[in-house]
Amino acid sequence: MGSECSRYAAPLIPAELAAITAKHPCYSFSAHHQFARMHLPVAPLCNISCNYCNRKYDCVNESRPGVTSELLTPEASLSKFSRVKAEIPHLSVVGIAGPGDALANWEAVRKSILLIKAVSPDTIFCLSTNGLLLPHYGQDVIDLGIKHVTVTVNCLDSAIGAKIYRHVHYQDKYYVGEKAVDILIHNQLSGIKLLADNGILVKVNMVMIKAVNEKHIPAVVKEVKRLGALMTNIMPLIPAPGSAFQHFPQISSKEVNAMRDLCQADISQMRHCQQCRADAIGLLTDDQSHKFRSARPDGIKNTDYRPGA
Ligand code: CLF
Ligand code: SF4
């Protein structure tokens, strides 16, 4: 496959969007030493159940297991953003990466973005989602002017997916097994296409799980590329204590890098992901979130917001 590297050509991005993306620390390797991102923990609910997730903590699709973030209202997000921007002028991106799913909390996410956009129109907004609700809110995301969206896609095959997902809660019904996975995969893929067709730069995260989806990753990469994704971020499963996968073997960084090398032939690979927390602030490699965390005035704990798994 090494000879296939020469076949990959990065898609053309309009100059204005390319200039913006050059300041995005996740989409641009060189930006991650210069520009900071801030996550708004405004999305506590999740509508699916991944077997690698411990629901007491942040969404593992973007976060290191075992990390719990504070939660904010949209108004509190705006005031936190103002504090952070005053202290970190190189803050370029405001992202929503949990603690649950951004689209399962769409009204709070949307309101937070609108409030911040009104005071800081140059801020780049970024979302991370499991993709279940993309067919429902994808157009809203486009209309809001968001240009950077991450979707986590772990498989294309319902038999593999039935080992990864416990249930999907969709349109007021719980689904399990292959039926649940079929709905999730269908929505993820059609959502990626919708976004990509409308000029959104889609990054696809994948959790690489030994003996579950590891051999299947190249097929996922090829399919999301076909649908218009810009890059993939293959992340190792970190078995989270308390999750169904807590005793699963870890994949070595050597194995993950070998998979990224293989898939680089098809699509650009993110290799500097920090699997950061849902309230991360600062450079990717220098989290400053502890300096800005505040106690909730109403005393509500994160776990009070989590739906039953
Ligand atoms: Fe945040 Fe994610 Fe946007 Fe980046 S994180 S929502 S794309 S602004 Fe970045 Fe963190 Fe990795 Fe995510 S290093 S976990 S890829
Ligand atoms: Fe957990 Fe939901 Fe994220 Fe899956 S998508 S890791 S269930 S929060």
Side-chain angles (χ1 to χ4, degrees):
M1 293 291 279
S3 61
E4 292 189 9
C5 286
S6 57
R7 287 210 327 242
Y8 172 68
L12 278 181
I13 301 172
E16 192 187 349
L17 183 54
I20 292 169
T21 303
K23 295 183 185 170
H24 194 308
C26 302
Y27 280 69
S28 161
F29 179 81
S30 54
H32 93 280
H33 295 301
Q34 300 169 52
F35 292 99
R37 56 79 183 91
M38 167 186 189
H39 282 167
L40 302 177
V42 293
L45 304 175
C46 191
N47 43 17
I48 68 172
S49 179
C50 305
N51 280 327
Y52 46 71
C53 184
N54 178 340
R55 308 297 288 258
K56 287 192 200 139
Y57 303 120
D58 287 354
C59 174
V60 185
N61 287 340
E62 283 241 327
S63 308
R64 193 171 293 115
V67 174
T68 308
S69 301
E70 67 171 350
L71 287 171
L72 296 176
T73 61
E75 292 74 16
S77 291
L78 172 61
S79 90
K80 187 170 183 180
F81 167 80
S82 302
R83 272 198 296 142
V84 172
K85 185 70 182 168
E87 289 201 31
I88 306 181
H90 53 284
L91 177 75
S92 61
V93 174
V94 166
I96 290 101
D101 180 71
L103 298 183
N105 302 267
W106 179 240
E107 278 316 310
V109 168
R110 187 174 167 279
K111 190 168 177 193
S112 303
I113 290 173
L114 285 171
L115 288 171
I116 294 173
K117 210 174 181 177
V119 299
S120 181
D122 291 338
T123 291
I124 303 166
F125 292 96
C126 186
L127 294 182
S128 169
T129 176
N130 60 41
L132 179 67
L133 293 180
L134 274 176
H136 300 264
Y137 296 124
Q139 192 58 51
D140 284 10
V141 170
I142 295 161
D143 294 346
L144 210 48
I146 296 170
K147 295 293 185 191
H148 300 85
V149 175
T150 295
V151 186
T152 301
V153 182
N154 294 317
C155 62
L156 307 171
D157 180 293
S158 33
I160 295 174
K163 297 178 189 164
I164 300 175
Y165 303 104
R166 200 158 46 242
H167 71 241
V168 163
H169 185 211
Y170 184 58
Q171 295 182 327
D172 296 326
K173 277 194 192 159
Y174 275 92
Y175 297 88
V176 295
E178 296 191 13
K179 175 71 184 157
V181 181
D182 286 344
I183 294 168
L184 179 63
I185 293 173
H186 173 271
N187 287 10
Q188 289 172 333
L189 300 184
S190 59
I192 289 170
K193 181 162 172 29
L194 172 71
L195 296 177
D197 285 351
N198 283 277
I200 310 295
L201 303 185
V202 179
K203 173 165 74 62
V204 174
N205 282 6
M206 294 167 205
V207 181
M208 184 172 166
I209 310 162
K210 214 177 221 337
V212 175
N213 70 347
E214 60 178 325
K215 294 198 166 45
H216 184 56
I217 295 271
V220 181
V221 167
K222 285 182 196 306
E223 178 62 3
V224 299
K225 182 203 173 169
R226 191 185 70 78
L227 295 168
L230 177 74
M231 66 168 74
T232 59
N233 174 19
I234 301 166
M235 307 183 298
L237 170 76
I238 306 175
S243 73
F245 283 179
Q246 66 173 333
H247 299 303
F248 270 49
Q250 265 179 293
I251 289 224
S252 68
S253 52
K254 195 173 160 199
E255 289 167 294
V256 173
N257 282 329
M259 184 58 75
R260 290 169 177 160
D261 290 344
L262 178 72
C263 295
Q264 179 78 40
D266 287 309
I267 197 166
S268 177
Q269 297 296 304
M270 181 178 186
R271 294 171 188 264
H272 59 291
C273 178
Q274 301 296 312
Q275 291 177 267
C276 32
R277 46 189 302 147
D279 63 357
I281 293 172
L283 298 177
L284 295 190
T285 50
D286 182 22
D287 186 55
Q288 302 287 312
S289 56
H290 57 281
K291 293 185 184 164
F292 298 98
R293 211 161 289 138
S294 52
R296 286 183 63 94
D298 52 10
I300 294 173
K301 296 191 200 96
N302 284 358
T303 44
D304 295 335
Y305 279 82
R306 312 292 298 190

